[in-house]
Structure formats: C-alpha cells, structure tokens
Amino acid sequence: MGRTYNIAVVPGDGTGPEVVTEGLKALDSASNKFGFKLDLHRLDIGGDRYLKTGEVLPKGAVDELRQYDAIYLGAIGHPDVKPGILEKGILLKLRFELDQYINLRPVKLYPGVECPLKDKQPEDIDFVVIRENTEGLYAGAGGFLKKETPDEVAIQESINTRKGVDRCLHYAFDYTKKRNRKKNLTLCGKTNVLTFAFDLWERAFREMSLKYPEIKADYAHVDAITMWFVKNPEWFDVIVTDNMFGDIITDLGAMIQGGMGIAAGGNINPEGVSMFEPIGGSAPKYKGQNLINPLAAICAAGMMLDHLGEETAGRKIEQAVMDVTKNRIKSLAAGAMGCSTTEVGDMVAELVAK
Ligand code: IPM
Ligand code: MN
C-alpha cells in the first residue's frame, strides 16, 4: 500500500454535491488502481448551512482545514443568499487564510469537445494560466467617503507586494520549466496604463527571467491577450497575471476549451494546503436532476492527485476524461450530454480502473 492522504471534501451548494460524488468515484477508482489511500472527511460548508445557522464559515473551520493534505471543493453559491456573502465569506476567505497564492487554470481543448473558435483543434488550445490569488484588487483595500450621498466616493486599490509578486512569478517560471512544452512564459498586464502595479510586475518578471535562461519570457497587455485567446490560442504556453486580470481571462479560457462543464482549477499554496474545484459555480437550476456535467469536478480531482504527487493517477483520470469527451458524450452542456451525471461518473471510474 502506498501513501495515505487526508482529504477534506466540501461538496457545498447547488450541484456541488452531485459533481463531487462523481469526482470521488474517479478518486476511489484511481486509489485502488495505483495503490494509495484517501481518507475523506466531509465538511458541511455552504449556503444551506449559512441559512440554517447564520454562520458563513463555521468557527474553527479554517484551522481544521489546515490539517489536511488537500481540499476538494464542489461549489459555493446559493440562490437565496445575497451575492457576495458566500463568495467572500467562504471561497475568498479560504484562499486568503490558507494563503493559496496561486490559482492554477489549465485551458485545454479535449478531443471531441466543440470549440466556439472556428478551425481550432485540441493541438491549438493547450495552455495554463497562473493567476496571483491573494492580492491585487481582491485584497479588499479601499473604502467609501460620504457613502450614499451625492458626493459619494468609492476607492478600491490594487495591492501588489514585491514578495507576493515574486512568489507567484517564481511558481510560474518553475511551472513552465517543469511543464517542458514550449518553455514560454507570458506576463499578462497593462503596463501602458497601470504604471505602478505593472511596473513592479514587469521589473520583477524581467529580473527573475535572468535566473531561467531556458524560458522564453515575454509580455502582453491584457486587452491584447483577450484578442489572441480568440484568434491565436496556439501561441500560448503559460501565462502569469494578477488576480483581477486572471479572473477575467480564465473565464474566456474556459469558454474556448468548451465551457464551464470542463473547466477546473487549483488554489495552491505550495507550502501549505491546496484546494481544487470545478470553476463553473453551483448551477442551482440543475440541482438534483442528474443532468449536470461532472467532468470539471473530475478534472479537479485529477489535478488534486497530480498536486499530491500521484502524477500517474492524475494523468490517468485526465485520459479517462478525454476518452469520454471523444467517444462517449454528445456535448458538455448540462442536459445535452446524452447521458446522466452519474453515468458519466461511472464511465470515468471504469476507464480509470482499466
Ligand atoms: C473564480 C470566481 C471567484 C473569483 C468568485 C466566485 C469570488 O469567479 O474563482 O474565478 O472572482 O475569484
Ligand atoms: Mn472567476
């Protein structure tokens, strides 16, 4: 028997529990095949709990979560809770408190998946966005003056610390090297307008690039990047950017890889506990109907194994997902897959076991 990993499972809201169930099937299958053990601990965190108890994040939850080897998250977001409360109080709070300073978002077009870009094939869309995940506009710096008067002022500041930028860039350069594909790292910024924040980013980037002579380090403005994602996605290998730009361009990335049904991400603290999630949200209108696509959650499970050091098992899950997109489902869209949520999960689990 190999290693045992302690995993916190947070199914969360809406269709979160359904997709997590399918992800756990894939994990179970992988652990049997590859000889490691997963010790799963379910935590009741999310909108339902908040509505029942008035508590967004249960007391002690952060410290409890710190004890695990990884966190597997379904979705946070509830139609009866005002937007922002759960997102800020749970998802962002965990990212910040657990210092998950990297948001890792692979953008990969799997075979058989319909791409909205004309004439683009799987070989054209295969890059990774590394988003700084604890600073920038998300840091919450700013405030109001004269709130709710005609003279109201709202200020929201982007926080960019040299240490925060350097640790993110360091991860990005190392990741590009390890990925060993085009060995190209692109800094995505806005140096022509945000002349303080991205001046720091660009200087730090140039300086660090000297330590990685094997990596081709280049720069692109964020607005241009959105054009090129659509026109020439094949240009990209790894992209590193700040929190806000990363948030925006990764949704565009999800769309060119076929949509939210397949997009997964990791919130990573390389020195601590990391959290893996499908990025599509809780999709409450599909709750309980066995129609939602679980592949994004399954991909997140694969990323988690890869992060834990079970790379072969992680790759096997990804290959099983690719088999399913190529040969077994009609579409990624909820209700249009040609089979149910549980059937997709069963197929993946079976393919992983083979
Ligand atoms: C994401 C999400 C979150 C973010 C929201 C839900 C707070 O959009 O993970 O990209 O903005 O980071
Ligand atoms: Mn987002």
Side-chain angles (χ1 to χ4, degrees), residues 3 8 39 77 92 170 172 176 179 186 252 261 304-305 339:
R3 283 191 58 190
D39 221 334
L92 297 183
H170 196 261
T176 309
R179 176 170 151 94
T186 305
L252 179 55
M304 180 169 78
L305 290 185
C339 49

Side-chain angles (χ1 to χ4, degrees), residues 170-307:
H170 196 261
Y171 183 92
F173 275 102
D174 278 350
Y175 187 94
T176 309
K177 190 169 159 183
K178 188 164 170 233
R179 176 170 151 94
N180 198 19
R181 209 167 161 265
K182 292 184 185 160
K183 296 210 175 115
N184 178 203
L185 179 63
T186 305
L187 171 64
C188 164
K190 189 72 186 169
T191 52
N192 52 349
V193 177
L194 305 181
T195 49
F196 310 129
F198 281 99
D199 185 85
L200 188 160
W201 272 88
E202 207 193 14
R203 270 184 288 119
F205 184 69
R206 294 287 161 218
E207 247 170 65
M208 198 169 294
S209 75
L210 301 176
K211 295 191 194 121
Y212 293 85
E214 69 276 45
I215 307 291
K216 191 173 145 265
D218 55 21
Y219 170 83
H221 293 319
V222 62
D223 46 350
I225 285 242
T226 63
M227 274 181 355
W228 290 327
F229 271 19
V230 173
K231 195 163 175 285
N232 299 101
E234 66 279 3
W235 285 354
F236 296 105
D237 181 16
V238 183
I239 296 163
V240 63
T241 191
D242 84 343
N243 211 341
M244 188 77 256
F245 291 165
D247 179 48
I248 297 166
I249 68 171
T250 54
D251 268 21
L252 179 55
M255 282 303 125
I256 67 170
Q257 73 181 123
M260 289 299 181
I262 197 80
N267 300 278
I268 294 179
N269 176 346
E271 297 88 34
V273 50
S274 301
M275 176 166 76
F276 297 84
E277 53 170 342
I279 71 163
S282 63
K285 75 172 181 186
Y286 291 110
K287 184 181 168 161
Q289 298 183 48
N290 205 13
L291 290 177
I292 193 81
N293 186 340
L295 288 177
I298 294 170
C299 289
M303 286 180 76
M304 180 169 78
L305 290 185
D306 190 60
H307 177 79

